[in-house]
Amino acid sequence: MAERFDFDAIVIGSGISGGWAAKELCERGLKTIVLERGTMVEHIKDYPTANKKPWEFPHRNSLTEEEKKIYTVQSRHYSIGEDNKHFYVKDNENPYEEKQRYDWVRADVFGGRSLLWGRISVRWSDVDFGANLKDGHGVDWPIRYKDIAPWYDYAEKFIGVSGSREGLPILPDGIFQPAFEMNCAEKHVKQKIESRFPGIKIINTRSANITQPLDGRSACQSRNLCHRGCPFGAYFSTQSSTLPAAAKTGNLTIRTGAVVNRILYDEKSGRASGVEVIDRETLKTYVYTAKIIFLNASTLATAHILLSSTSNRFQNGMGNDYDIVGRHLMDHHKGSYTTAEIEGFEDKYTYGKRPTGVYVPRFKNIDQQDPNFIRGYYYQGSASRERGSRSDAIGEDLKSIATEPGKWKINLGYYGETLPYAENRITLNNNIKDIYGRPGMTIDCSFKDNEKAIFKDASETMKAMFEEIGLKNVKQSGTMSFPGNANHEMGTARMGHDEKTSVLNKWNQLHAVKNLFITDGSSMVSSACINPSLTYMAITARAVDHAFNEMKKGTVKFFNTAKGFGFIKGDDGQDIFVHVTGLKDEVQE
């Protein structure tokens, strides 16, 4: 028999959106458990390589050939190395079928990819939220910028975002800490580009790296070692930000090593009743029950859990009455890089390694439509000074040359939007089992003609601009990435107006199960071309606020007699939140 444990709320997943859900639920007085399949990572204590020097890594920060057999998919991504491999999933234990190549990059620790993300924190605009309706690709977003703008404010104030206000409608301004300063070469390229191409801006990257102390977190030390875990708490992660806030309430419980098998459904009430998990160590099954559940396992895992959550009511998976769950998988594409040499700054050098660069907001298909593709792309990158080099140098000469500064170079790469294609999807695969005995998944996803046209235009445009402003030795290189490699997977359980074409409503509730909320990347209706993480945070805070208000109205019924939390009607008919002590049996409303 499965053991049972009861909470007011369950959060599945502890990454960027899961951490936010836990914080918001706990701060509203709800006893909340976070279920995480990975191992525990404690802030500071469990960043073992945070202060190691380059020469302290036996393999120069590369994976060995044996390790590549363990991290077969993870090693396709630039971010994994000898210094942070312990944060990543072991692919040999978690297989999946690739109908077409798909690089599923994932963490396997508490905090998830909040420990590993690139930290770019930008707001989506009405151009992004309105794109599907405008050109007819995908269903209409059920929200617009005005619906989420206050929650962007809320998220930015809490996490701390460094950046500059630019007044660009395509990239709305937020609440910023001071930006990291561009170096001399970047300022030069900015001035040249903006004077020659009035519609194009080069701005400071907006990043969740704080430049001023915030709520006990230290300002960024400009080490650029964020991917190892930051002992200063200088970038947003679950460990440095949302977890401490949730824990401070006394309402948080954490359960690591909990592999979610399925969400349980109560046929009588028509609601999700709890979550069944498998313990990673003992393989024993546990059931946790709650009045409200937030599913934030990340896009692919969230869809996998929904499809696995079958019942008499949902024989094809929870919320999957119309075969929408698992479809419309999106990721950004990248892979084209343009480099050039910048002359005239040979007497200049920089100190420190700031963790940000420069950002070129989208400028295509805003006022005028390009005939070759719809939607758009942006660029990001940086300028830096190379070390000196000479091919014939060895020994002492090589050491000496390596300490001399070389040429200034700039490197910009693009990120492009992917359309929400129904055929890009995941399905359960009963022929593959993970080490816990659960069905695997099949991923069938590819970039199509529109994405390839964006790749071509982004490659040609930046090269032409660098040449136009007189940069030297301009080179364009790289090939288009495979889906998954941009690490921005979205879709599979999208929001929408109609339950026949979407899984969630405008509050991120399942149309068919009102006490189940999803606010990770699976809920996204389109991908835009820009980083989605800040939007995940904002819609999560908004969804928790709605869930709490619905509890008070009785739409999501809530009274935990075991713990004495709940709502009762006052003399004026208004709902009152109560915490009753000394309960014997039950509370009569």
Side-chain angles (χ1 to χ4, degrees):
M1 295 292 291
E3 297 184 26
R4 305 185 72 88
F5 303 90
D6 186 55
F7 289 84
D8 301 332
I10 295 171
V11 178
I12 302 171
S14 61
I16 286 175
S17 62
W20 262 94
K23 167 190 175 295
E24 296 298 303
L25 290 163
C26 286
E27 289 181 341
R28 283 165 172 78
L30 304 185
K31 294 295 183 181
T32 302
I33 184 169
V34 177
L35 300 175
E36 167 57 51
R37 59 161 285 152
T39 54
M40 189 61 194
V41 171
E42 291 185 34
H43 186 45
I44 303 177
K45 171 180 172 287
D46 291 329
Y47 306 149
T49 64
N51 294 310
K52 281 193 172 185
K53 302 295 188 289
W55 54 86
E56 295 183 87
F57 296 99
H59 306 104
R60 299 185 180 182
N61 207 30
S62 296
L63 298 183
T64 66
E65 292 305 310
E66 285 302 310
E67 287 171 337
K68 289 178 182 178
K69 295 175 183 177
I70 298 171
Y71 302 103
T72 51
V73 176
Q74 308 312 300
S75 59
R76 300 174 187 174
H77 197 258
Y78 76 91
S79 62
I80 189 171
E82 194 175 6
D83 59 354
N84 67 353
K85 63 190 178 186
H86 46 279
F87 290 152
Y88 287 81
V89 75
K90 293 180 178 178
D91 296 301
N92 62 337
E93 297 178 357
N94 300 275
Y96 62 96
E97 180 189 17
E98 301 172 82
K99 282 276 186 168
Q100 303 176 79
R101 177 174 161 176
Y102 189 94
D103 300 343
W104 187 9
V105 182
R106 44 183 169 159
D108 199 22
V109 290
F110 188 85
R113 283 180 294 177
S114 77
L115 289 167
L116 299 167
W117 68 308
R119 306 167 307 284
I120 292 180
S121 299
V122 285
R123 299 186 179 204
W124 287 26
S125 72
D126 269 328
V127 171
D128 302 310
F129 289 113
N132 285 9
L133 181 63
K134 179 180 178 181
D135 59 38
H137 290 270
V139 300
D140 183 25
W141 275 88
I143 59 174
R144 290 294 186 268
Y145 178 72
K146 64 180 176 61
D147 299 307
I148 198 171
W151 299 103
Y152 278 135
D153 288 353
Y154 182 72
E156 288 163 344
K157 288 176 183 176
F158 179 77
I159 69 172
V161 177
S162 59
S164 55
R165 299 181 65 83
E166 302 290 342
L168 302 173
I170 192 63
L171 200 72
D173 288 329
I175 298 172
F176 300 133
Q177 290 196 353
F180 291 87
E181 185 179 1
M182 293 184 192
N183 60 43
C184 57
E186 291 164 348
K187 291 177 181 178
H188 172 75
V189 174
K190 170 182 169 67
Q191 186 274 324
K192 290 289 187 180
I193 290 283
E194 292 181 355
S195 62
R196 178 63 185 84
F197 305 97
I200 299 176
K201 295 287 184 181
I202 297 182
I203 69 173
N204 292 290
T205 299
R206 296 170 180 176
S207 177
N209 290 83
I210 56 176
T211 53
Q212 297 174 336
L214 178 67
D215 294 334
R217 298 162 53 201
S218 300
C220 180
Q221 306 296 300
S222 292
R223 307 186 320 148
N224 196 24
L225 296 175
C226 311
H227 60 282
R228 298 182 185 179
C230 181
F232 306 97
Y235 74 84
F236 168 82
S237 68
T238 297
Q239 274 78 356
S240 69
S241 300
T242 48
L243 175 61
K248 187 167 61 175
T249 67
N251 294 322
L252 176 68
T253 298
I254 295 170
R255 172 72 156 86
T256 56
V259 180
V260 172
N261 201 30
R262 60 184 175 131
I263 297 172
L264 304 175
Y265 181 74
D266 180 18
E267 304 279 348
K268 183 179 292 186
S269 67
R271 298 177 185 277
S273 60
V275 178
E276 180 183 276
V277 305
I278 302 169
D279 185 276
R280 281 181 69 160
E281 295 297 323
T282 67
L283 301 185
K284 189 175 182 179
T285 299
Y286 295 83
V287 171
Y288 295 89
T289 59
K291 297 295 188 295
I292 186 170
I293 298 171
F294 269 71
L295 174 53
N296 295 78
S298 85
T299 296
L300 299 178
T302 287
H304 185 273
I305 291 170
L306 288 176
L307 292 172
S308 300
S309 301
T310 56
S311 61
N312 289 333
R313 167 66 181 83
F314 297 111
Q315 297 191 17
N316 296 315
M318 188 170 287
N320 198 31
D321 292 337
Y322 299 97
D323 191 28
I324 302 297
V325 174
R327 292 188 180 273
H328 311 105
L329 176 60
M330 300 169 284
D331 183 34
H332 293 140
H333 47 98
K334 59 177 185 175
S336 173
Y337 303 95
T338 306
T339 60
E341 295 175 3
I342 306 166
E343 297 180 330
F345 298 94
E346 287 73 18
D347 61 339
K348 305 293 183 184
Y349 199 68
T350 57
Y351 295 90
K353 296 180 179 180
R354 78 189 197 278
T356 63
V358 295
Y359 191 101
V360 183
R362 173 181 164 184
F363 53 88
K364 287 289 184 85
N365 293 339
I366 300 174
D367 298 319
Q368 292 183 322
Q369 178 62 49
D370 190 290
N372 298 311
F373 62 92
I374 62 171
R375 311 290 174 99
Y377 57 87
Y378 81 93
Y379 298 103
Q380 67 180 54
S382 62
S384 61
R385 203 159 184 191
E386 295 182 329
R387 290 184 299 178
S389 64
R390 202 178 71 210
S391 60
D392 62 341
I394 60 173
E396 187 176 335
D397 285 345
L398 177 60
K399 292 180 181 179
S400 177
I401 292 170
T403 65
E404 298 173 2
K407 298 176 180 178
W408 278 97
K409 285 191 173 181
I410 188 166
N411 179 21
L412 292 179
Y414 90 105
Y415 277 72
E417 180 160 1
T418 296
L419 299 177
Y421 304 105
E423 61 269 34
N424 281 351
R425 67 182 304 192
I426 76 146
T427 52
L428 294 185
N429 187 329
N430 287 302
N431 296 319
I432 298 175
K433 302 286 185 180
D434 63 16
I435 59 173
Y436 315 107
R438 302 182 309 155
M441 73 169 72
T442 295
I443 306 177
D444 188 358
C445 185
S446 65
F447 295 133
K448 307 190 191 306
D449 289 344
N450 196 70
E451 291 74 47
K452 293 172 184 176
I454 289 176
F455 173 88
K456 182 175 185 292
D457 191 87
S459 303
E460 295 173 349
T461 298
M462 184 51 68
K463 184 174 185 292
M465 286 196 294
F466 278 179
E467 290 173 341
E468 180 69 21
I469 64 171
L471 300 187
K472 304 300 182 182
N473 198 20
V474 178
K475 295 180 180 179
Q476 191 279 319
S477 62
T479 57
M480 192 175 187
S481 63
F482 289 92
N485 202 272
N487 220 0
H488 295 162
E489 65 269 23
M490 290 173 266
T492 73
R494 66 185 181 183
M495 301 166 69
H497 300 284
D498 186 348
E499 66 177 350
K500 293 182 179 180
T501 58
S502 61
V503 179
L504 311 172
N505 66 15
K506 66 179 180 179
W507 301 109
N508 294 82
Q509 290 171 288
L510 253 72
H511 289 298
V513 185
K514 295 301 184 185
N515 68 328
L516 178 58
F517 292 77
I518 301 175
T519 60
D520 61 15
S522 60
S523 68
M524 306 295 273
V525 188
S526 61
S527 72
C529 66
I530 60 177
N531 308 65
S533 298
L534 183 65
T535 301
Y536 300 165
M537 301 183 205
I539 63 174
T540 300
R542 178 177 180 268
V544 172
D545 183 70
H546 175 75
F548 189 73
N549 290 332
E550 290 298 290
M551 283 180 175
K552 291 193 294 183
K553 291 191 296 186
T555 306
V556 175
K557 296 185 183 301
F558 170 67
F559 200 101
N560 190 319
T561 56
K563 297 183 176 66
F565 287 97
F567 296 93
I568 61 174
K569 292 287 185 185
D571 293 337
D572 59 358
Q574 297 297 310
D575 290 303
I576 302 172
F577 178 72
V578 295
H579 177 200
V580 184
T581 59
L583 289 175
K584 297 295 184 183
D585 298 306
E586 61 181 19
V587 173
Q588 299 289 336
E589 290 194 21

